Amino acid sequence: MSAVAASDPAAEASLVHALRAGDERAFAELIDRLGPALLRLARIYVRDRAVAEEVVQETWLSVLEGIERFEGRSSLKTWVFRILANRAKTRAGREARTVPMSALAGAARADEPSVEPERFRSPDDRWAGHWASPPASWGALPESRLLSKETIDCIRSLIAALPPAQREVIALRDVEGWPADEVCALLGLSEVNQRVLLHRARSKVRAGLERYLADE
């Protein structure tokens, strides 16, 4: 039985049964299916690849030890990723104790604007609230430039520099391609909060990319 088919309830129930029975093939298929994405998610929290790999290994051990307690309130995928996220956050928290407080600045504020206020016309302007500096159009840029390794590396750096909650959401939505409901379930967010975090993250990444392309 393929773990890839476990997105439908019957297949997932069969997979869970196989895991509880100690089916090594089912477990190996689950690792193949989720392993790369788990490592990418771990690296959202811990930058060192070796530490991220340790977190993934700890996650798989927890899955084996805890599969009997899996109640099916969420999908198996969400359950596994939640274990990973909790472990990665714990590891990141331990590492953060050795990081200067100045390096931890940047947590998102509730009133944080999605776009820099100076990009809009001032309240005393006839066109108050309209763009003073509208987003640049990239339609004229060669596709090879937009898809170059340097541009992709810039985007990755911009995502890595986001506040943690925004980084989580944009990585899951736009890098991993998760639907909104799964992101909300994994991170314990309301639909509104998920949308706000995603909008702010996308706005910051776009602004940073705009500056990068203009500098080039």
Side-chain angles (χ1 to χ4, degrees):
M1 178 208 57
S2 171
V4 176
S7 55
D8 100 63
E12 179 156 300
S14 179
L15 173 58
V16 171
H17 177 76
L19 293 172
R20 287 174 174 164
D23 186 327
E24 293 183 6
R25 182 171 172 237
F27 186 60
E29 289 184 354
L30 188 64
I31 290 176
D32 288 343
R33 174 192 171 202
L34 300 183
L38 284 171
L39 181 59
R40 290 192 296 270
L41 179 61
R43 296 200 70 185
I44 295 174
Y45 302 98
V46 292
R47 306 298 174 82
D48 185 82
R49 183 182 177 90
V51 175
E53 288 173 345
E54 288 178 11
V55 170
V56 173
Q57 292 301 318
E58 292 170 2
T59 298
W60 288 126
L61 288 173
S62 295
V63 169
L64 285 174
E65 293 168 356
I67 191 63
E68 290 292 340
R69 298 189 297 277
F70 174 65
E71 299 178 350
R73 295 180 182 175
S74 63
S75 70
L76 181 65
K77 171 187 169 184
T78 298
W79 180 70
V80 173
F81 275 84
R82 189 177 293 130
I83 293 172
L84 181 284
N86 288 337
R87 287 194 166 276
K89 287 176 182 178
T90 299
R91 179 65 70 92
R94 289 204 299 267
E95 292 183 350
R97 295 190 189 109
T98 65
V99 176
M101 287 302 293
S102 59
L104 301 178
R109 305 189 315 272
D111 60 347
E112 178 185 13
S114 298
V115 180
E116 299 95 326
E118 58 269 21
R119 299 195 67 168
F120 299 98
R121 294 183 181 275
S122 62
D124 57 353
D125 191 285
R126 177 184 176 188
W127 303 105
H130 289 245
W131 287 107
S133 174
S137 172
W138 298 329
L141 293 176
E143 185 175 315
S144 58
R145 184 180 179 192
L146 292 173
L147 299 179
S148 70
K149 180 180 182 301
E150 291 77 12
T151 300
I152 292 172
D153 286 345
C154 172
I155 294 171
R156 287 173 175 157
S157 297
L158 289 166
I159 291 174
L162 292 170
Q166 294 176 21
R167 188 170 68 239
E168 288 175 325
V169 172
I170 195 172
L172 289 168
R173 288 296 311 278
D174 292 348
V175 179
E176 298 298 329
W178 282 39
D181 59 336
E182 290 190 12
V183 173
C184 290
L186 174 64
L187 301 179
L189 297 171
S190 69
E191 183 181 348
V192 171
N193 285 341
Q194 186 270 157
R195 284 203 307 270
V196 169
L197 289 168
L198 181 60
H199 176 63
R200 288 175 175 170
R202 285 173 172 171
S203 296
K204 289 178 180 178
V205 170
R206 194 192 195 288
L209 184 57
E210 187 178 332
R211 289 190 294 270
Y212 167 78
L213 292 172
D215 289 343
E216 280 199 335

